[in-house]
PDB file of all heavy atoms in Angstrom:
ATOM      1  N   PHE A 271      17.819  22.647 -17.181  1.00 88.00           N
ATOM      2  CA  PHE A 271      19.043  22.239 -17.870  1.00 88.00           C
ATOM      3  C   PHE A 271      19.293  20.746 -17.659  1.00 88.00           C
ATOM      4  O   PHE A 271      19.586  20.004 -18.604  1.00 88.00           O
ATOM      5  CB  PHE A 271      20.226  23.056 -17.342  1.00 88.00           C
ATOM      6  CG  PHE A 271      21.560  22.608 -17.878  1.00 88.00           C
ATOM      7  CD1 PHE A 271      21.995  23.019 -19.127  1.00 88.00           C
ATOM      8  CD2 PHE A 271      22.370  21.762 -17.128  1.00 88.00           C
ATOM      9  CE1 PHE A 271      23.224  22.605 -19.624  1.00 88.00           C
ATOM     10  CE2 PHE A 271      23.599  21.342 -17.617  1.00 88.00           C
ATOM     11  CZ  PHE A 271      24.019  21.764 -18.866  1.00 88.00           C
ATOM     12  N   LEU A 272      19.121  20.280 -16.420  1.00 85.00           N
ATOM     13  CA  LEU A 272      19.346  18.872 -16.119  1.00 85.00           C
ATOM     14  C   LEU A 272      18.256  17.990 -16.722  1.00 85.00           C
ATOM     15  O   LEU A 272      18.524  16.860 -17.128  1.00 85.00           O
ATOM     16  CB  LEU A 272      19.430  18.666 -14.607  1.00 85.00           C
ATOM     17  CG  LEU A 272      20.671  19.271 -13.941  1.00 85.00           C
ATOM     18  CD1 LEU A 272      20.587  19.156 -12.433  1.00 85.00           C
ATOM     19  CD2 LEU A 272      21.937  18.614 -14.461  1.00 85.00           C
ATOM     20  N   GLY A 274      16.890  18.568 -19.563  1.00 79.00           N
ATOM     21  CA  GLY A 274      17.343  18.426 -20.943  1.00 79.00           C
ATOM     22  C   GLY A 274      18.480  17.439 -21.070  1.00 79.00           C
ATOM     23  O   GLY A 274      18.521  16.620 -21.997  1.00 79.00           O
ATOM     24  N   ALA A 275      19.417  17.486 -20.108  1.00 85.00           N
ATOM     25  CA  ALA A 275      20.574  16.592 -20.156  1.00 85.00           C
ATOM     26  C   ALA A 275      20.186  15.141 -19.878  1.00 85.00           C
ATOM     27  O   ALA A 275      20.845  14.213 -20.356  1.00 85.00           O
ATOM     28  CB  ALA A 275      21.624  17.059 -19.144  1.00 85.00           C
ATOM     29  N   LYS A 276      19.110  14.933 -19.110  1.00 79.00           N
ATOM     30  CA  LYS A 276      18.673  13.568 -18.782  1.00 79.00           C
ATOM     31  C   LYS A 276      17.918  12.908 -19.928  1.00 79.00           C
ATOM     32  O   LYS A 276      17.820  11.687 -19.990  1.00 79.00           O
ATOM     33  CB  LYS A 276      17.758  13.587 -17.549  1.00 79.00           C
ATOM     34  CG  LYS A 276      18.481  13.786 -16.239  1.00 79.00           C
ATOM     35  CD  LYS A 276      17.563  13.544 -15.054  1.00 79.00           C
ATOM     36  CE  LYS A 276      16.484  14.585 -14.941  1.00 79.00           C
ATOM     37  NZ  LYS A 276      15.651  14.420 -13.714  1.00 79.00           N
ATOM     38  N   LEU A 277      17.344  13.698 -20.816  1.00 71.00           N
ATOM     39  CA  LEU A 277      16.443  13.164 -21.834  1.00 71.00           C
ATOM     40  C   LEU A 277      17.219  12.481 -22.949  1.00 71.00           C
ATOM     41  O   LEU A 277      17.942  13.112 -23.710  1.00 71.00           O
ATOM     42  CB  LEU A 277      15.580  14.293 -22.414  1.00 71.00           C
ATOM     43  CG  LEU A 277      14.625  13.907 -23.533  1.00 71.00           C
ATOM     44  CD1 LEU A 277      13.650  12.835 -23.054  1.00 71.00           C
ATOM     45  CD2 LEU A 277      13.884  15.117 -24.033  1.00 71.00           C
ATOM     46  N   ARG A 279      17.523  10.769 -26.496  1.00 67.00           N
ATOM     47  CA  ARG A 279      16.806  10.778 -27.779  1.00 67.00           C
ATOM     48  C   ARG A 279      16.304   9.377 -28.119  1.00 67.00           C
ATOM     49  O   ARG A 279      15.243   9.213 -28.724  1.00 67.00           O
ATOM     50  CB  ARG A 279      17.730  11.290 -28.885  1.00 67.00           C
ATOM     51  CG  ARG A 279      18.127  12.750 -28.715  1.00 67.00           C
ATOM     52  CD  ARG A 279      19.175  13.171 -29.747  1.00 67.00           C
ATOM     53  NE  ARG A 279      19.597  14.545 -29.580  1.00 67.00           N
ATOM     54  CZ  ARG A 279      20.530  14.935 -28.722  1.00 67.00           C
ATOM     55  NH1 ARG A 279      21.144  14.049 -27.964  1.00 67.00           N
ATOM     56  NH2 ARG A 279      20.862  16.208 -28.621  1.00 67.00           N
ATOM     57  N   LEU A 398      15.159  27.591 -22.923  1.00 84.00           N
ATOM     58  CA  LEU A 398      16.572  27.745 -23.295  1.00 84.00           C
ATOM     59  C   LEU A 398      17.490  26.879 -22.432  1.00 84.00           C
ATOM     60  O   LEU A 398      18.384  26.205 -22.966  1.00 84.00           O
ATOM     61  CB  LEU A 398      16.981  29.217 -23.221  1.00 84.00           C
ATOM     62  CG  LEU A 398      16.433  30.116 -24.341  1.00 84.00           C
ATOM     63  CD1 LEU A 398      16.996  31.522 -24.219  1.00 84.00           C
ATOM     64  CD2 LEU A 398      16.751  29.542 -25.724  1.00 84.00           C
ATOM     65  N   PRO A 399      17.308  26.854 -21.085  1.00 87.00           N
ATOM     66  CA  PRO A 399      18.121  25.913 -20.303  1.00 87.00           C
ATOM     67  C   PRO A 399      17.883  24.450 -20.701  1.00 87.00           C
ATOM     68  O   PRO A 399      18.830  23.656 -20.720  1.00 87.00           O
ATOM     69  CB  PRO A 399      17.666  26.168 -18.860  1.00 87.00           C
ATOM     70  CG  PRO A 399      17.162  27.561 -18.862  1.00 87.00           C
ATOM     71  CD  PRO A 399      16.523  27.748 -20.212  1.00 87.00           C
ATOM     72  N   PHE A 400      16.633  24.107 -21.029  1.00 81.00           N
ATOM     73  CA  PHE A 400      16.323  22.738 -21.451  1.00 81.00           C
ATOM     74  C   PHE A 400      17.083  22.391 -22.732  1.00 81.00           C
ATOM     75  O   PHE A 400      17.694  21.323 -22.839  1.00 81.00           O
ATOM     76  CB  PHE A 400      14.818  22.604 -21.666  1.00 81.00           C
ATOM     77  CG  PHE A 400      14.384  21.228 -22.091  1.00 81.00           C
ATOM     78  CD1 PHE A 400      14.075  20.259 -21.150  1.00 81.00           C
ATOM     79  CD2 PHE A 400      14.275  20.898 -23.438  1.00 81.00           C
ATOM     80  CE1 PHE A 400      13.684  18.984 -21.536  1.00 81.00           C
ATOM     81  CE2 PHE A 400      13.890  19.635 -23.832  1.00 81.00           C
ATOM     82  CZ  PHE A 400      13.588  18.674 -22.877  1.00 81.00           C
ATOM     83  N   VAL A 401      17.041  23.285 -23.717  1.00 84.00           N
ATOM     84  CA  VAL A 401      17.749  23.055 -24.986  1.00 84.00           C
ATOM     85  C   VAL A 401      19.257  22.987 -24.743  1.00 84.00           C
ATOM     86  O   VAL A 401      19.950  22.135 -25.317  1.00 84.00           O
ATOM     87  CB  VAL A 401      17.403  24.165 -25.997  1.00 84.00           C
ATOM     88  CG1 VAL A 401      18.281  24.051 -27.240  1.00 84.00           C
ATOM     89  CG2 VAL A 401      15.931  24.090 -26.385  1.00 84.00           C
ATOM     90  N   ALA A 402      19.759  23.862 -23.871  1.00 91.00           N
ATOM     91  CA  ALA A 402      21.192  23.828 -23.546  1.00 91.00           C
ATOM     92  C   ALA A 402      21.564  22.486 -22.925  1.00 91.00           C
ATOM     93  O   ALA A 402      22.634  21.928 -23.211  1.00 91.00           O
ATOM     94  CB  ALA A 402      21.536  24.972 -22.593  1.00 91.00           C
ATOM     95  N   GLY A 403      20.683  21.936 -22.081  1.00 89.00           N
ATOM     96  CA  GLY A 403      20.936  20.628 -21.498  1.00 89.00           C
ATOM     97  C   GLY A 403      20.960  19.525 -22.539  1.00 89.00           C
ATOM     98  O   GLY A 403      21.794  18.611 -22.468  1.00 89.00           O
ATOM     99  N   GLN A 404      20.043  19.614 -23.510  1.00 85.00           N
ATOM    100  CA  GLN A 404      20.034  18.631 -24.596  1.00 85.00           C
ATOM    101  C   GLN A 404      21.341  18.678 -25.392  1.00 85.00           C
ATOM    102  O   GLN A 404      21.918  17.635 -25.727  1.00 85.00           O
ATOM    103  CB  GLN A 404      18.855  18.903 -25.535  1.00 85.00           C
ATOM    104  CG  GLN A 404      17.584  18.158 -25.187  1.00 85.00           C
ATOM    105  CD  GLN A 404      17.667  16.695 -25.592  1.00 85.00           C
ATOM    106  OE1 GLN A 404      17.500  16.343 -26.754  1.00 85.00           O
ATOM    107  NE2 GLN A 404      17.935  15.820 -24.624  1.00 85.00           N
ATOM    108  N   ILE A 405      21.822  19.878 -25.664  1.00 90.00           N
ATOM    109  CA  ILE A 405      23.091  20.027 -26.400  1.00 90.00           C
ATOM    110  C   ILE A 405      24.245  19.484 -25.570  1.00 90.00           C
ATOM    111  O   ILE A 405      25.127  18.783 -26.074  1.00 90.00           O
ATOM    112  CB  ILE A 405      23.321  21.509 -26.755  1.00 90.00           C
ATOM    113  CG1 ILE A 405      22.243  21.990 -27.744  1.00 90.00           C
ATOM    114  CG2 ILE A 405      24.715  21.713 -27.352  1.00 90.00           C
ATOM    115  CD1 ILE A 405      22.240  23.475 -27.989  1.00 90.00           C
ATOM    116  N   ALA A 406      24.230  19.787 -24.264  1.00 92.00           N
ATOM    117  CA  ALA A 406      25.332  19.366 -23.378  1.00 92.00           C
ATOM    118  C   ALA A 406      25.312  17.879 -23.083  1.00 92.00           C
ATOM    119  O   ALA A 406      26.311  17.343 -22.585  1.00 92.00           O
ATOM    120  CB  ALA A 406      25.268  20.160 -22.080  1.00 92.00           C
ATOM    121  N   ARG A 407      24.193  17.209 -23.368  1.00 89.00           N
ATOM    122  CA  ARG A 407      24.113  15.767 -23.069  1.00 89.00           C
ATOM    123  C   ARG A 407      25.236  14.990 -23.747  1.00 89.00           C
ATOM    124  O   ARG A 407      25.698  13.980 -23.212  1.00 89.00           O
ATOM    125  CB  ARG A 407      22.744  15.216 -23.498  1.00 89.00           C
ATOM    126  CG  ARG A 407      22.611  13.727 -23.211  1.00 89.00           C
ATOM    127  CD  ARG A 407      21.224  13.176 -23.452  1.00 89.00           C
ATOM    128  NE  ARG A 407      21.225  11.740 -23.344  1.00 89.00           N
ATOM    129  CZ  ARG A 407      21.222  11.062 -22.195  1.00 89.00           C
ATOM    130  NH1 ARG A 407      21.182  11.718 -21.061  1.00 89.00           N
ATOM    131  NH2 ARG A 407      21.227   9.735 -22.184  1.00 89.00           N
ATOM    132  N   ARG A 408      25.683  15.467 -24.862  1.00 87.00           N
ATOM    133  CA  ARG A 408      26.764  14.795 -25.580  1.00 87.00           C
ATOM    134  C   ARG A 408      28.004  14.635 -24.700  1.00 87.00           C
ATOM    135  O   ARG A 408      28.744  13.646 -24.817  1.00 87.00           O
ATOM    136  CB  ARG A 408      27.107  15.602 -26.837  1.00 87.00           C
ATOM    137  CG  ARG A 408      28.273  15.066 -27.632  1.00 87.00           C
ATOM    138  CD  ARG A 408      28.514  15.912 -28.867  1.00 87.00           C
ATOM    139  NE  ARG A 408      29.661  15.455 -29.624  1.00 87.00           N
ATOM    140  CZ  ARG A 408      30.131  16.043 -30.719  1.00 87.00           C
ATOM    141  NH1 ARG A 408      29.511  17.128 -31.186  1.00 87.00           N
ATOM    142  NH2 ARG A 408      31.169  15.564 -31.346  1.00 87.00           N
ATOM    143  N   TRP A 409      28.236  15.614 -23.811  1.00 92.00           N
ATOM    144  CA  TRP A 409      29.422  15.593 -22.966  1.00 92.00           C
ATOM    145  C   TRP A 409      29.119  15.161 -21.530  1.00 92.00           C
ATOM    146  O   TRP A 409      29.975  14.560 -20.886  1.00 92.00           O
ATOM    147  CB  TRP A 409      30.066  16.990 -22.944  1.00 92.00           C
ATOM    148  CG  TRP A 409      30.518  17.417 -24.305  1.00 92.00           C
ATOM    149  CD1 TRP A 409      31.657  17.029 -24.976  1.00 92.00           C
ATOM    150  CD2 TRP A 409      29.823  18.282 -25.202  1.00 92.00           C
ATOM    151  NE1 TRP A 409      31.707  17.612 -26.221  1.00 92.00           N
ATOM    152  CE2 TRP A 409      30.597  18.397 -26.390  1.00 92.00           C
ATOM    153  CE3 TRP A 409      28.625  19.007 -25.133  1.00 92.00           C
ATOM    154  CZ2 TRP A 409      30.204  19.184 -27.473  1.00 92.00           C
ATOM    155  CZ3 TRP A 409      28.240  19.790 -26.193  1.00 92.00           C
ATOM    156  CH2 TRP A 409      29.023  19.871 -27.357  1.00 92.00           C
ATOM    157  N   ILE A 410      27.942  15.484 -21.019  1.00 92.00           N
ATOM    158  CA  ILE A 410      27.666  15.205 -19.602  1.00 92.00           C
ATOM    159  C   ILE A 410      26.587  14.138 -19.411  1.00 92.00           C
ATOM    160  O   ILE A 410      26.230  13.818 -18.271  1.00 92.00           O
ATOM    161  CB  ILE A 410      27.249  16.492 -18.856  1.00 92.00           C
ATOM    162  CG1 ILE A 410      25.883  17.003 -19.370  1.00 92.00           C
ATOM    163  CG2 ILE A 410      28.306  17.561 -18.978  1.00 92.00           C
ATOM    164  CD1 ILE A 410      25.329  18.153 -18.544  1.00 92.00           C
ATOM    165  N   GLY A 411      26.062  13.579 -20.515  1.00 87.00           N
ATOM    166  CA  GLY A 411      24.964  12.627 -20.416  1.00 87.00           C
ATOM    167  C   GLY A 411      25.305  11.407 -19.569  1.00 87.00           C
ATOM    168  O   GLY A 411      24.491  10.936 -18.778  1.00 87.00           O
ATOM    169  N   GLY A 412      26.521  10.893 -19.720  1.00 87.00           N
ATOM    170  CA  GLY A 412      26.920   9.718 -18.946  1.00 87.00           C
ATOM    171  C   GLY A 412      26.930  10.013 -17.460  1.00 87.00           C
ATOM    172  O   GLY A 412      26.447   9.211 -16.651  1.00 87.00           O
ATOM    173  N   TRP A 413      27.477  11.173 -17.086  1.00 91.00           N
ATOM    174  CA  TRP A 413      27.516  11.557 -15.667  1.00 91.00           C
ATOM    175  C   TRP A 413      26.100  11.734 -15.121  1.00 91.00           C
ATOM    176  O   TRP A 413      25.802  11.300 -14.000  1.00 91.00           O
ATOM    177  CB  TRP A 413      28.314  12.850 -15.506  1.00 91.00           C
ATOM    178  CG  TRP A 413      28.436  13.294 -14.073  1.00 91.00           C
ATOM    179  CD1 TRP A 413      29.395  12.914 -13.181  1.00 91.00           C
ATOM    180  CD2 TRP A 413      27.544  14.178 -13.375  1.00 91.00           C
ATOM    181  NE1 TRP A 413      29.162  13.506 -11.968  1.00 91.00           N
ATOM    182  CE2 TRP A 413      28.046  14.287 -12.052  1.00 91.00           C
ATOM    183  CE3 TRP A 413      26.403  14.873 -13.731  1.00 91.00           C
ATOM    184  CZ2 TRP A 413      27.419  15.079 -11.090  1.00 91.00           C
ATOM    185  CZ3 TRP A 413      25.782  15.663 -12.780  1.00 91.00           C
ATOM    186  CH2 TRP A 413      26.288  15.762 -11.480  1.00 91.00           C
ATOM    187  N   VAL A 414      25.226  12.364 -15.905  1.00 87.00           N
ATOM    188  CA  VAL A 414      23.847  12.579 -15.476  1.00 87.00           C
ATOM    189  C   VAL A 414      23.136  11.244 -15.265  1.00 87.00           C
ATOM    190  O   VAL A 414      22.440  11.052 -14.258  1.00 87.00           O
ATOM    191  CB  VAL A 414      23.094  13.441 -16.510  1.00 87.00           C
ATOM    192  CG1 VAL A 414      21.594  13.438 -16.233  1.00 87.00           C
ATOM    193  CG2 VAL A 414      23.622  14.875 -16.504  1.00 87.00           C
TER     194      VAL A 414
END
Side-chain angles (χ1 to χ4, degrees):
F271 174 82
L272 291 174
K276 284 190 293 185
L277 177 59
R279 294 173 182 83
L398 287 184
F400 181 89
V401 172
Q404 268 284 281
I405 295 171
R407 180 173 172 79
R408 176 179 178 183
W409 298 281
I410 67 172
W413 182 87
V414 168

